[in-house]
């Protein structure tokens, strides 16, 4: 299954309403969250990397990394809009790993493990989890692309996973790696743990 084409889709178009400013530019250990996310992508594992965003600065940074960009002109329609735009842009892939841009402790190692597990089980959805609790990233095989494209509202791939629990395989990681930061307080808590 080494010839399977895996894409990596970074979701970076949210309005950060609970953060009250663009959280992707917030610093964690001296780097903006979006830069930390882009650096966490092991480019040798993925055939292509695409960033969905509404922000000029994010698009410029993604292009510095050599990543493709898709513009989300309607982020108000919720996460489903970014999922659909990115899935459509990467429709030639056999699987797509969906990565959110607000997990400061995401690592290349975790993404490598998810990709390796998916290559061993390419009909399954493979995602990160800790002690039975699912998180991100999640890698979906092509057979689920139609369901991802059909999502509406402020929902992502979790609803597809919930509809097919028998198809999900977890890759265990520590709780901190799964932590996303939706508020300034959450970012401060994470900073305090380091």
């Amino acid at each position: 299954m080494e010839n399977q084409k895996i894409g990596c889709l970074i979701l970076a178009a949210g309005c950060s309403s609970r953060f009250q400013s663009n959280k992707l530019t917030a610093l964690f250990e001296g780097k903006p969250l979006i830069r930390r996310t882009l650096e966490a992508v092991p480019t040798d594992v993925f055939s292509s990397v695409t960033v969905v965003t509404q922000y000029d600065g994010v698009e410029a940074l993604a292009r510095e990394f050599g990543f493709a960009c898709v513009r989300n002109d309607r982020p108000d329609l919720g996460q489903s809009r970014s999922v659909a735009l990115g899935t459509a842009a990467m429709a030639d892939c056999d699987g797509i790993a969906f990565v959110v841009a607000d997990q400061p402790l995401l690592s290349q190692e975790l993404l490598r493990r998810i990709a390796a597990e998916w290559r061993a089980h390419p009909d399954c959805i493979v995602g990160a989890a800790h002690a039975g609790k699912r998180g991100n990233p999640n890698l979906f095989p092509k057979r689920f692309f139609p369901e991802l494209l059909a999502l509406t509202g402020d929902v992502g791939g979790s609803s597809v996973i919930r509809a097919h629990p028998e198809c999900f395989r977890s890759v265990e990681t520590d709780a901190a790696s799964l932590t996303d930061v939706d508020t300034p307080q959450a970012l401060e808590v994470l900073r305090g743990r380091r």
Side-chain angles (χ1 to χ4, degrees):
M1 287 298 175
E2 281 303 311
N3 59 347
Q4 294 275 57
K5 184 176 178 183
I6 308 176
C8 179
L9 181 63
I10 298 170
L11 303 171
C15 295
S16 306
S17 53
R18 284 183 284 171
F19 207 85
Q20 299 172 338
S21 65
N22 184 0
K23 65 183 170 183
L24 300 181
T25 63
L27 298 181
F28 183 81
E29 296 182 350
K31 291 181 183 177
L33 294 186
I34 185 60
R35 178 174 284 279
R36 292 184 67 89
T37 301
L38 299 180
E39 289 177 349
V41 176
T43 53
D44 58 312
V45 169
F46 298 105
S47 301
S48 57
V49 181
T50 299
V51 179
V52 180
T53 191
Q54 62 167 312
Y55 302 107
D56 292 340
V58 171
E59 185 170 340
L61 184 61
R63 293 200 187 285
E64 279 181 38
F65 278 76
F67 298 161
C69 287
V70 173
R71 199 69 173 203
N72 184 345
D73 56 348
R74 292 294 310 275
D76 54 298
L77 294 178
Q79 192 180 57
S80 64
R81 171 82 172 156
S82 289
V83 169
L85 287 169
T87 302
M90 306 188 89
D92 64 329
C93 292
D94 297 301
I96 301 173
F98 289 80
V99 175
V100 294
D102 61 355
Q103 279 180 251
L105 299 179
L106 178 66
S107 67
Q108 286 198 11
E109 185 261 343
L110 177 57
L111 276 165
R112 286 182 189 283
R113 288 172 53 218
I114 289 170
E117 181 71 11
W118 184 80
R119 285 194 185 282
H121 304 277
D123 286 333
C124 295
I125 303 165
V126 176
H130 175 71
K133 184 176 182 207
R134 283 191 298 101
N136 289 301
N138 290 285
L139 205 166
F140 291 81
K142 194 178 196 83
R143 68 187 179 113
F144 291 109
F145 291 4
E147 289 180 55
L148 293 167
L149 288 165
L151 294 172
T152 59
D154 196 24
V155 297
S158 278
S159 58
V160 177
I161 295 171
R162 283 194 298 274
H164 305 279
E166 74 287 355
C167 297
F168 183 76
R169 296 184 66 86
S170 63
V171 171
E172 185 69 16
T173 189
D174 60 291
S177 294
L178 299 182
T179 303
D180 59 8
V181 291
D182 290 324
T183 64
Q185 295 77 16
L187 186 57
E188 283 304 317
V189 168
L190 201 58
R191 285 174 178 145
R193 289 185 192 162
R194 300 292 278 175

